[in-house]
Amino acid sequence: MISNELLKRFIYDVSVEDDTFEIIGKAFDKIGESYGITEVKATLLAPVTYCSKEAKSKEVILFKQQGSSQFAYCEEYVTREEGKVILNIYRLSDLPAFSEEEKEDLKPILNIIYMHCEKWKLIHLVRDIGKMDSLTGLPNSGGFLSYIDEQLKEGALLQYNTYYFNLTRFGLINKRFGVKETDRIIARYASFVLEFLQEGERLGRLGGDNFVALIRKERNDAFLELISGVTTYGILDGKKEPVTIGAVTGILEIDESITDCGTVLNDCAMAMNIAKHVKKTAYAYASKELKESIMRRNEMIVEFPNAIKNHEFQAFYQPKVSISDYVIVGAEALVRWKKDNGFVSPGEFIPAFEQNGMVCALDFYILEQVCMDIRKWLKEGMEPVRISVNFSRKHLTNKNLAKDIMQVLKKYDVDSKYIEIELTETVDEEEAGLLIAFMNQMRKYNILMTIDDFGTGYSSLNMLRSFPVDVLKLDKSLIDKMEESDQIILSNVVRMASELKMDVVAEGVETWEQVDYLKMVKCGVVQGFLFDRPMPKQQFEEKMKQKKYAIE
Ligand code: C2E
Ligand code: CA
Ligand code: CA
């Protein structure tokens, strides 16, 4: 029989610390001895949640004594949130099994142990809440990072890649379903992705539509495939509507160089941003090269204002050639950045300047330079060819764009027949409206408009019917292979363009075979390294004086 004195003592001893199990062992010492108990083992079963498909269990030995032992008694408690606490008692093997009275005696003690286990769980739950995203039950950034940290310390992290992914078209989903239902869609999305996870892998949510994951390296392709399009549903007016959610992802392949988990998410986020805003691809890997290129971009952005002031940007000219007689009929102005005794090509800096709008200032700077050059040629008695200037689509939000361009022409007294503007096509409906408005104004000013990179994106000839376009510039990729299927497309494009009264220019022409091929499909003008690379003004002047290429 356990005396009241002993019971009180036990309650008191156990209540000293809530956060450890050792305290039970110490408090139980006397009782254990008087009952010949050798071991008390607790199994804590957490309930099934969003985050764990199976109930998680934890085993703790609360009390242990030497001596050969046998199983003697088990008490099972169901917790409020439908988890379980199971207490198993072992006794010296030469003692008989517990009698019913002895079990009754032990019960208050076991109840106290059970309550202690519950308290311990609660304390840890409260701690975990700080590491958990309340909407999905997934780890938040803190929870995810502490798991990565654990894996790193155990030397297990090398098996994994980390991912940072941002869901696509989420603004649209929000608009369509409203905030509350969008939250539910996110939770459904999370549990769908969670299904894919295997032991040791983790999914986390950083808030909004940003997720992170830790996935085994060999499952990289399968994971990317999965998140490229997850179909779940949203409820609209009481009806289930399917929703497909894609993602833009930054991936970090963990290697030995990673000794601190602090930069892991940053690196992934950086790669995600590059994929989303620069490369415009579904994913990008965070590599050393990528980091360096971002640093270079940031440097360039900082250097830009001074570079403009110091006239470090220069227009190069690449001739456009009539395919029938090789006469130079125009040229394209292409910007170069004079730096450290060399020229940096626009592929390196235009994307950086596009991201923050600096490209607009640069385009006007080049337009001014071209106008100045034309003015100079006219003054020297030369008849210049028409020069096309590239304008970024970033200008389209400027309602005064056409006027602003016209003002530059006026400033240098350059007739509009000498200038042409190249713009790439757009998918965005809103942008398409702005583009049409801009093109209509340009038509009033008699400045020719070219659609650049035709055939790379989404532009279709049908769409072009609504655009007041003068010139179509075929992208290099259309003539790279010269396969029969390309030929059919090309000849159709040229035929329809001529019906719509558009000229067609092929760019990136490098071989005579391509020239013959383009002649066959009746493309009128070519531009490419076969004739000339982009060149500085003085050299181009000489070309213009010669007027044509001496080719038989
Ligand atoms: P883009 O407008 O499509 O210009 C054609 C690019 O193809 C130029 O590259 C040109 O040098 C290159 N190219 C011409 N012929 C050949 C060829 O036969 N083979 C190959 N492989 N390439 C050829 P570049 O000068 O490096 O310019 C790259 C891009 O940068 C341009 O593509 C354009 O999108 C952009 N860009 C250039 N200058 C400006 C500018 O002043 N403003 C804006 N917004 N963008 C510019
Ligand atoms: Ca161009
Ligand atoms: Ca182009």
Side-chain angles (χ1 to χ4, degrees):
M1 179 82 180
I2 295 172
S3 67
N4 271 347
E5 202 51 41
L6 206 57
L7 189 60
K8 267 195 218 152
R9 182 85 227 155
F10 183 73
I11 294 174
Y12 175 79
D13 285 350
V14 167
S15 67
V16 174
E17 278 173 38
D18 292 327
D19 194 19
T20 69
F21 287 117
E22 285 88 59
I23 192 76
I24 292 186
K26 280 185 211 151
F28 195 73
D29 207 30
K30 273 214 176 84
I31 300 165
E33 201 183 320
S34 58
Y35 280 82
I37 291 173
T38 51
E39 185 175 324
V40 179
K41 190 171 78 184
T43 306
L44 280 61
L45 280 171
V48 179
T49 63
Y50 245 134
C51 208
S52 60
K53 279 174 281 172
E54 297 134 37
K56 271 190 227 146
S57 75
K58 179 180 174 68
E59 271 193 3
V60 203
I61 310 278
L62 301 173
F63 175 77
K64 180 103 182 148
Q65 281 294 325
Q66 292 298 347
S68 75
S69 62
Q70 56 171 334
F71 170 76
Y73 178 35
C74 170
E75 192 70 55
E76 198 174 301
Y77 299 86
V78 176
T79 64
R80 260 195 318 148
E81 76 282 29
E82 287 170 38
K84 272 182 190 169
V85 174
I86 304 163
L87 298 176
N88 280 303
I89 318 275
Y90 298 82
R91 191 174 203 192
L92 284 169
S93 43
D94 46 5
L95 290 177
F98 283 122
S99 66
E100 285 309 310
E101 292 95 273
E102 280 174 318
K103 283 183 190 170
E104 280 305 308
D105 273 359
L106 278 171
K107 211 136 188 202
I109 298 282
L110 296 185
N111 288 349
I112 291 162
I113 295 179
Y114 157 67
M115 269 152 57
H116 186 86
C117 290
E118 275 294 274
K119 251 199 263 173
W120 182 91
K121 260 174 50 194
L122 272 177
I123 288 166
H124 282 256
L125 189 68
V126 170
R127 258 187 222 160
D128 285 350
I129 279 174
K131 293 180 176 179
M132 198 178 86
D133 166 50
S134 58
L135 176 67
T136 55
L138 295 173
N140 60 16
S141 58
F144 190 77
L145 277 176
S146 69
Y147 181 71
I148 291 186
D149 200 36
E150 257 172 49
Q151 297 296 307
L152 184 70
K153 283 182 185 135
E154 284 173 20
L157 202 59
L158 281 174
Q159 310 169 40
Y160 298 99
N161 287 348
T162 48
Y163 302 78
Y164 185 119
F165 52 112
N166 175 257
L167 309 186
T168 50
R169 300 190 317 121
F170 230 77
L172 287 177
I173 294 176
N174 232 321
K175 247 192 215 162
R176 189 159 161 229
F177 291 96
V179 179
K180 270 201 181 138
E181 185 56 20
T182 301
D183 274 357
R184 286 184 207 116
I185 294 172
I186 288 188
R188 277 175 214 127
Y189 173 87
S191 62
F192 185 91
V193 176
L194 208 55
E195 287 284 315
F196 173 86
L197 263 58
Q198 290 182 356
E199 207 194 321
E201 297 177 332
R202 282 291 182 282
L203 178 68
R205 176 171 175 249
L206 306 185
D209 55 353
N210 290 309
F211 286 82
V212 283
L214 187 73
I215 303 290
R216 275 179 207 289
K217 285 200 164 84
E218 68 271 16
R219 291 176 14 101
N220 177 59
D221 292 355
F223 183 65
L224 288 176
E225 164 81 31
L226 173 89
I227 57 173
S228 70
V230 166
T231 300
T232 172
Y233 65 90
I235 293 180
L236 199 64
D237 302 327
K239 263 195 277 172
K240 266 191 187 180
E241 299 273 341
V243 183
T244 300
I245 302 169
V248 183
T249 311
I251 308 150
L252 176 70
E253 293 174 316
I254 306 278
D255 61 22
E256 283 87 359
S257 70
I258 289 159
T259 51
D260 164 28
C261 72
T263 57
V264 166
L265 288 190
N266 278 349
D267 287 1
C268 287
M270 169 194 83
M272 189 280 284
N273 271 311
I274 291 295
K276 187 168 176 156
H277 298 294
V278 182
K279 290 193 174 166
K280 315 230 187 288
T281 48
Y283 56 85
Y285 286 87
S287 59
K288 215 172 113 208
E289 294 77 43
L290 189 77
K291 257 192 185 170
E292 281 166 4
S293 86
I294 287 173
M295 267 164 50
R296 263 206 312 278
R297 291 165 74 94
N298 290 340
E299 276 167 22
M300 288 191 295
I301 288 170
V302 172
E303 288 168 10
F304 179 79
N306 271 331
I308 283 270
K309 243 189 252 157
N310 301 336
H311 306 287
E312 290 172 22
F313 294 102
Q314 199 172 317
F316 271 39
Y317 295 94
Q318 186 181 33
K320 294 182 193 173
V321 184
S322 156
I323 206 167
S324 57
D325 52 12
Y326 308 118
V327 166
I328 297 175
V329 291
E332 178 175 10
L334 292 153
V335 63
R336 296 291 180 267
W337 188 350
K338 198 165 192 290
K339 239 174 145 204
D340 311 325
N341 300 323
F343 287 100
V344 184
S345 63
E348 295 209 21
F349 56 85
I350 292 280
F353 295 162
E354 277 211 313
Q355 223 178 323
N356 64 8
M358 283 175 175
V359 71
C360 296
L362 182 60
D363 289 346
F364 272 101
Y365 183 88
I366 293 297
L367 177 67
E368 286 221 15
Q369 228 178 66
V370 168
C371 287
M372 273 194 274
D373 288 349
I374 291 172
R375 176 89 329 262
K376 172 184 171 277
W377 294 327
L378 287 168
K379 215 163 136 194
E380 290 169 0
M382 238 188 291
E383 178 56 22
V385 289
R386 181 167 31 237
I387 309 291
S388 62
V389 180
N390 290 284
F391 265 65
S392 162
R393 290 204 319 237
K394 291 273 166 203
H395 289 279
L396 288 177
T397 48
N398 172 7
K399 294 255 168 9
N400 289 321
L401 179 58
K403 246 190 220 150
D404 291 348
I405 290 174
M406 217 33 218
Q407 221 138 44
V408 177
L409 269 67
K410 271 194 196 132
K411 180 173 165 189
Y412 295 95
D413 191 21
V414 166
D415 193 289
S416 52
K417 70 177 181 189
Y418 294 117
I419 294 290
E420 181 176 328
I421 301 292
E422 295 194 6
L423 256 164
T424 54
E425 230 271 274
T426 168
V427 251
D428 193 306
E429 264 178 46
E430 199 179 329
E431 245 185 28
L434 294 169
L435 183 59
I436 291 177
F438 168 62
M439 284 178 163
N440 277 324
Q441 280 171 303
M442 293 298 271
R443 194 154 266 192
K444 268 193 212 140
Y445 292 131
N446 282 320
I447 300 178
L448 292 194
M449 284 296 313
T450 295
I451 288 287
D452 203 354
D453 300 343
F454 185 80
T456 45
Y458 312 87
S459 31
S460 73
L461 273 176
N462 261 344
M463 271 172 89
L464 286 176
R465 284 181 199 280
S466 52
F467 287 103
V469 178
D470 307 290
V471 185
L472 268 195
K473 202 171 210 189
L474 304 178
D475 192 70
K476 183 174 182 303
S477 60
L478 283 180
I479 55 160
D480 272 349
K481 284 196 234 99
M482 296 192 290
E483 281 164 1
E484 210 180 308
S485 56
D486 293 331
Q487 194 180 324
I488 295 168
I489 296 172
L490 266 192
S491 42
N492 273 316
V493 166
V494 178
R495 190 172 42 78
M496 283 182 76
S498 81
E499 274 168 26
L500 294 168
K501 308 248 174 326
M502 295 174 190
D503 289 334
V504 178
V505 179
E507 78 177 329
V509 176
E510 294 178 343
T511 67
W512 286 109
E513 276 141 357
Q514 285 173 324
V515 171
D516 290 342
Y517 173 75
L518 287 160
K519 269 185 186 164
M520 197 165 65
V521 296
K522 297 203 167 56
C523 166
V525 178
V526 285
Q527 176 188 346
F529 292 174
L530 179 66
F531 297 95
D532 267 310
R533 289 181 177 247
M535 62 191 100
K537 176 177 71 182
Q538 293 77 5
Q539 227 171 305
F540 179 63
E541 279 172 18
E542 295 308 311
K543 293 276 166 183
M544 264 202 301
K545 280 179 195 157
Q546 288 164 16
K547 285 200 168 68
K548 85 182 246 165
Y549 289 88
I551 294 155
E552 287 318 311

PDB file of all heavy atoms in Angstrom, residues 332 334 390 422 424 450-454 456 473-476 507-508 527, ligand 3:
ATOM      1  N   GLU A 332      21.027  48.174 -87.655  1.00  0.00           N
ATOM      2  CA  GLU A 332      20.473  48.144 -86.301  1.00  0.00           C
ATOM      3  C   GLU A 332      21.512  48.712 -85.348  1.00  0.00           C
ATOM      4  O   GLU A 332      22.698  48.364 -85.425  1.00  0.00           O
ATOM      5  CB  GLU A 332      20.134  46.703 -85.885  1.00  0.00           C
ATOM      6  CG  GLU A 332      19.589  46.617 -84.462  1.00  0.00           C
ATOM      7  CD  GLU A 332      19.140  45.203 -84.063  1.00  0.00           C
ATOM      8  OE1 GLU A 332      19.411  44.249 -84.818  1.00  0.00           O
ATOM      9  OE2 GLU A 332      18.544  45.075 -82.979  1.00  0.00           O
ATOM     10  N   LEU A 334      23.144  48.754 -81.849  1.00  0.00           N
ATOM     11  CA  LEU A 334      23.225  47.837 -80.700  1.00  0.00           C
ATOM     12  C   LEU A 334      24.193  48.422 -79.683  1.00  0.00           C
ATOM     13  O   LEU A 334      25.310  48.813 -80.018  1.00  0.00           O
ATOM     14  CB  LEU A 334      23.706  46.461 -81.170  1.00  0.00           C
ATOM     15  CG  LEU A 334      22.687  45.720 -82.047  1.00  0.00           C
ATOM     16  CD1 LEU A 334      23.360  44.756 -82.993  1.00  0.00           C
ATOM     17  CD2 LEU A 334      21.647  45.003 -81.185  1.00  0.00           C
ATOM     18  N   ASN A 390      16.644  49.649 -80.576  1.00  0.00           N
ATOM     19  CA  ASN A 390      15.897  48.723 -79.708  1.00  0.00           C
ATOM     20  C   ASN A 390      15.293  49.465 -78.525  1.00  0.00           C
ATOM     21  O   ASN A 390      15.979  50.219 -77.842  1.00  0.00           O
ATOM     22  CB  ASN A 390      16.821  47.635 -79.175  1.00  0.00           C
ATOM     23  CG  ASN A 390      17.246  46.678 -80.269  1.00  0.00           C
ATOM     24  OD1 ASN A 390      16.482  45.821 -80.689  1.00  0.00           O
ATOM     25  ND2 ASN A 390      18.463  46.861 -80.769  1.00  0.00           N
ATOM     26  N   GLU A 422      12.545  48.997 -82.726  1.00  0.00           N
ATOM     27  CA  GLU A 422      12.348  47.538 -82.571  1.00  0.00           C
ATOM     28  C   GLU A 422      11.854  47.238 -81.158  1.00  0.00           C
ATOM     29  O   GLU A 422      12.457  47.669 -80.178  1.00  0.00           O
ATOM     30  CB  GLU A 422      13.669  46.778 -82.796  1.00  0.00           C
ATOM     31  CG  GLU A 422      14.189  46.900 -84.210  1.00  0.00           C
ATOM     32  CD  GLU A 422      15.294  45.884 -84.522  1.00  0.00           C
ATOM     33  OE1 GLU A 422      15.574  45.006 -83.673  1.00  0.00           O
ATOM     34  OE2 GLU A 422      15.882  45.999 -85.617  1.00  0.00           O
ATOM     35  N   THR A 424      10.114  43.868 -78.797  1.00  0.00           N
ATOM     36  CA  THR A 424       9.740  42.450 -78.844  1.00  0.00           C
ATOM     37  C   THR A 424       8.252  42.312 -78.548  1.00  0.00           C
ATOM     38  O   THR A 424       7.647  43.179 -77.930  1.00  0.00           O
ATOM     39  CB  THR A 424      10.541  41.614 -77.823  1.00  0.00           C
ATOM     40  OG1 THR A 424      10.380  42.209 -76.559  1.00  0.00           O
ATOM     41  CG2 THR A 424      11.989  41.527 -78.196  1.00  0.00           C
ATOM     42  N   THR A 450       9.121  47.759 -85.759  1.00  0.00           N
ATOM     43  CA  THR A 450       9.503  46.365 -86.011  1.00  0.00           C
ATOM     44  C   THR A 450       9.144  45.496 -84.812  1.00  0.00           C
ATOM     45  O   THR A 450       9.348  45.911 -83.663  1.00  0.00           O
ATOM     46  CB  THR A 450      11.032  46.277 -86.221  1.00  0.00           C
ATOM     47  OG1 THR A 450      11.345  46.981 -87.400  1.00  0.00           O
ATOM     48  CG2 THR A 450      11.498  44.836 -86.349  1.00  0.00           C
ATOM     49  N   ILE A 451       8.618  44.308 -85.096  1.00  0.00           N
ATOM     50  CA  ILE A 451       8.473  43.318 -84.024  1.00  0.00           C
ATOM     51  C   ILE A 451       9.720  42.441 -84.064  1.00  0.00           C
ATOM     52  O   ILE A 451      10.008  41.785 -85.065  1.00  0.00           O
ATOM     53  CB  ILE A 451       7.206  42.461 -84.226  1.00  0.00           C
ATOM     54  CG1 ILE A 451       5.954  43.294 -83.940  1.00  0.00           C
ATOM     55  CG2 ILE A 451       7.237  41.226 -83.330  1.00  0.00           C
ATOM     56  CD1 ILE A 451       5.707  43.600 -82.476  1.00  0.00           C
ATOM     57  N   ASP A 452      10.473  42.499 -82.965  1.00  0.00           N
ATOM     58  CA  ASP A 452      11.761  41.800 -82.871  1.00  0.00           C
ATOM     59  C   ASP A 452      11.559  40.367 -82.375  1.00  0.00           C
ATOM     60  O   ASP A 452      10.539  40.069 -81.752  1.00  0.00           O
ATOM     61  CB  ASP A 452      12.634  42.573 -81.860  1.00  0.00           C
ATOM     62  CG  ASP A 452      14.111  42.320 -82.066  1.00  0.00           C
ATOM     63  OD1 ASP A 452      14.462  41.464 -82.902  1.00  0.00           O
ATOM     64  OD2 ASP A 452      14.910  42.986 -81.386  1.00  0.00           O
ATOM     65  N   ASP A 453      12.529  39.527 -82.661  1.00  0.00           N
ATOM     66  CA  ASP A 453      12.541  38.138 -82.144  1.00  0.00           C
ATOM     67  C   ASP A 453      11.270  37.377 -82.494  1.00  0.00           C
ATOM     68  O   ASP A 453      10.799  36.547 -81.705  1.00  0.00           O
ATOM     69  CB  ASP A 453      12.712  38.115 -80.611  1.00  0.00           C
ATOM     70  CG  ASP A 453      14.004  38.774 -80.177  1.00  0.00           C
ATOM     71  OD1 ASP A 453      14.886  38.948 -81.030  1.00  0.00           O
ATOM     72  OD2 ASP A 453      14.126  39.105 -78.987  1.00  0.00           O
ATOM     73  N   PHE A 454      10.701  37.638 -83.666  1.00  0.00           N
ATOM     74  CA  PHE A 454       9.449  36.975 -84.032  1.00  0.00           C
ATOM     75  C   PHE A 454       9.681  35.472 -84.169  1.00  0.00           C
ATOM     76  O   PHE A 454      10.633  35.033 -84.796  1.00  0.00           O
ATOM     77  CB  PHE A 454       8.901  37.544 -85.346  1.00  0.00           C
ATOM     78  CG  PHE A 454       7.555  36.983 -85.687  1.00  0.00           C
ATOM     79  CD1 PHE A 454       6.412  37.479 -85.084  1.00  0.00           C
ATOM     80  CD2 PHE A 454       7.434  35.925 -86.580  1.00  0.00           C
ATOM     81  CE1 PHE A 454       5.162  36.952 -85.370  1.00  0.00           C
ATOM     82  CE2 PHE A 454       6.183  35.388 -86.873  1.00  0.00           C
ATOM     83  CZ  PHE A 454       5.050  35.912 -86.265  1.00  0.00           C
ATOM     84  N   THR A 456       9.910  33.406 -81.450  1.00  0.00           N
ATOM     85  CA  THR A 456      10.475  32.820 -80.226  1.00  0.00           C
ATOM     86  C   THR A 456       9.395  32.617 -79.189  1.00  0.00           C
ATOM     87  O   THR A 456       9.447  31.697 -78.398  1.00  0.00           O
ATOM     88  CB  THR A 456      11.509  33.749 -79.567  1.00  0.00           C
ATOM     89  OG1 THR A 456      10.974  35.060 -79.551  1.00  0.00           O
ATOM     90  CG2 THR A 456      12.805  33.707 -80.295  1.00  0.00           C
ATOM     91  N   LYS A 473      10.779  40.894 -87.671  1.00  0.00           N
ATOM     92  CA  LYS A 473      12.157  40.424 -87.649  1.00  0.00           C
ATOM     93  C   LYS A 473      12.171  38.990 -87.156  1.00  0.00           C
ATOM     94  O   LYS A 473      11.823  38.729 -86.001  1.00  0.00           O
ATOM     95  CB  LYS A 473      12.982  41.310 -86.735  1.00  0.00           C
ATOM     96  CG  LYS A 473      14.432  41.247 -87.056  1.00  0.00           C
ATOM     97  CD  LYS A 473      15.159  42.287 -86.268  1.00  0.00           C
ATOM     98  CE  LYS A 473      16.363  42.758 -87.021  1.00  0.00           C
ATOM     99  NZ  LYS A 473      17.191  43.604 -86.169  1.00  0.00           N
ATOM    100  N   LEU A 474      12.543  38.074 -88.035  1.00  0.00           N
ATOM    101  CA  LEU A 474      12.522  36.653 -87.688  1.00  0.00           C
ATOM    102  C   LEU A 474      13.668  36.338 -86.745  1.00  0.00           C
ATOM    103  O   LEU A 474      14.806  36.737 -86.994  1.00  0.00           O
ATOM    104  CB  LEU A 474      12.677  35.802 -88.949  1.00  0.00           C
ATOM    105  CG  LEU A 474      11.669  36.044 -90.063  1.00  0.00           C
ATOM    106  CD1 LEU A 474      12.007  35.152 -91.250  1.00  0.00           C
ATOM    107  CD2 LEU A 474      10.257  35.751 -89.564  1.00  0.00           C
ATOM    108  N   ASP A 475      13.379  35.620 -85.730  1.00  0.00           N
ATOM    109  CA  ASP A 475      14.443  35.270 -84.781  1.00  0.00           C
ATOM    110  C   ASP A 475      15.412  34.274 -85.406  1.00  0.00           C
ATOM    111  O   ASP A 475      15.045  33.446 -86.238  1.00  0.00           O
ATOM    112  CB  ASP A 475      13.835  34.681 -83.524  1.00  0.00           C
ATOM    113  CG  ASP A 475      14.874  34.585 -82.428  1.00  0.00           C
ATOM    114  OD1 ASP A 475      15.276  35.644 -81.927  1.00  0.00           O
ATOM    115  OD2 ASP A 475      15.313  33.462 -82.107  1.00  0.00           O
ATOM    116  N   LYS A 476      16.652  34.370 -84.931  1.00  0.00           N
ATOM    117  CA  LYS A 476      17.728  33.504 -85.411  1.00  0.00           C
ATOM    118  C   LYS A 476      17.371  32.011 -85.325  1.00  0.00           C
ATOM    119  O   LYS A 476      17.705  31.225 -86.209  1.00  0.00           O
ATOM    120  CB  LYS A 476      18.962  33.801 -84.559  1.00  0.00           C
ATOM    121  CG  LYS A 476      20.214  33.070 -84.933  1.00  0.00           C
ATOM    122  CD  LYS A 476      21.368  33.579 -84.083  1.00  0.00           C
ATOM    123  CE  LYS A 476      22.677  32.906 -84.459  1.00  0.00           C
ATOM    124  NZ  LYS A 476      22.662  31.455 -84.363  1.00  0.00           N
ATOM    125  N   GLU A 507      17.341  37.668 -89.078  1.00  0.00           N
ATOM    126  CA  GLU A 507      18.584  38.050 -88.379  1.00  0.00           C
ATOM    127  C   GLU A 507      19.378  36.819 -87.955  1.00  0.00           C
ATOM    128  O   GLU A 507      18.851  35.705 -87.938  1.00  0.00           O
ATOM    129  CB  GLU A 507      18.300  38.973 -87.202  1.00  0.00           C
ATOM    130  CG  GLU A 507      17.774  38.304 -85.966  1.00  0.00           C
ATOM    131  CD  GLU A 507      17.597  39.288 -84.817  1.00  0.00           C
ATOM    132  OE1 GLU A 507      18.351  40.274 -84.733  1.00  0.00           O
ATOM    133  OE2 GLU A 507      16.700  39.048 -83.991  1.00  0.00           O
ATOM    134  N   GLY A 508      20.654  37.057 -87.683  1.00  0.00           N
ATOM    135  CA  GLY A 508      21.510  35.941 -87.271  1.00  0.00           C
ATOM    136  C   GLY A 508      21.915  35.065 -88.445  1.00  0.00           C
ATOM    137  O   GLY A 508      22.142  33.872 -88.278  1.00  0.00           O
ATOM    138  N   GLN A 527      20.321  40.069 -92.062  1.00  0.00           N
ATOM    139  CA  GLN A 527      21.262  40.748 -91.159  1.00  0.00           C
ATOM    140  C   GLN A 527      22.008  39.645 -90.430  1.00  0.00           C
ATOM    141  O   GLN A 527      21.396  38.681 -89.967  1.00  0.00           O
ATOM    142  CB  GLN A 527      20.452  41.598 -90.166  1.00  0.00           C
ATOM    143  CG  GLN A 527      21.258  42.287 -89.096  1.00  0.00           C
ATOM    144  CD  GLN A 527      20.351  42.946 -88.036  1.00  0.00           C
ATOM    145  OE1 GLN A 527      19.136  43.106 -88.226  1.00  0.00           O
ATOM    146  NE2 GLN A 527      20.951  43.294 -86.914  1.00  0.00           N
TER     147      GLN A 527
HETATM  148 CA    CA B   3      16.235  39.962 -82.346  1.00  0.00          CA
END
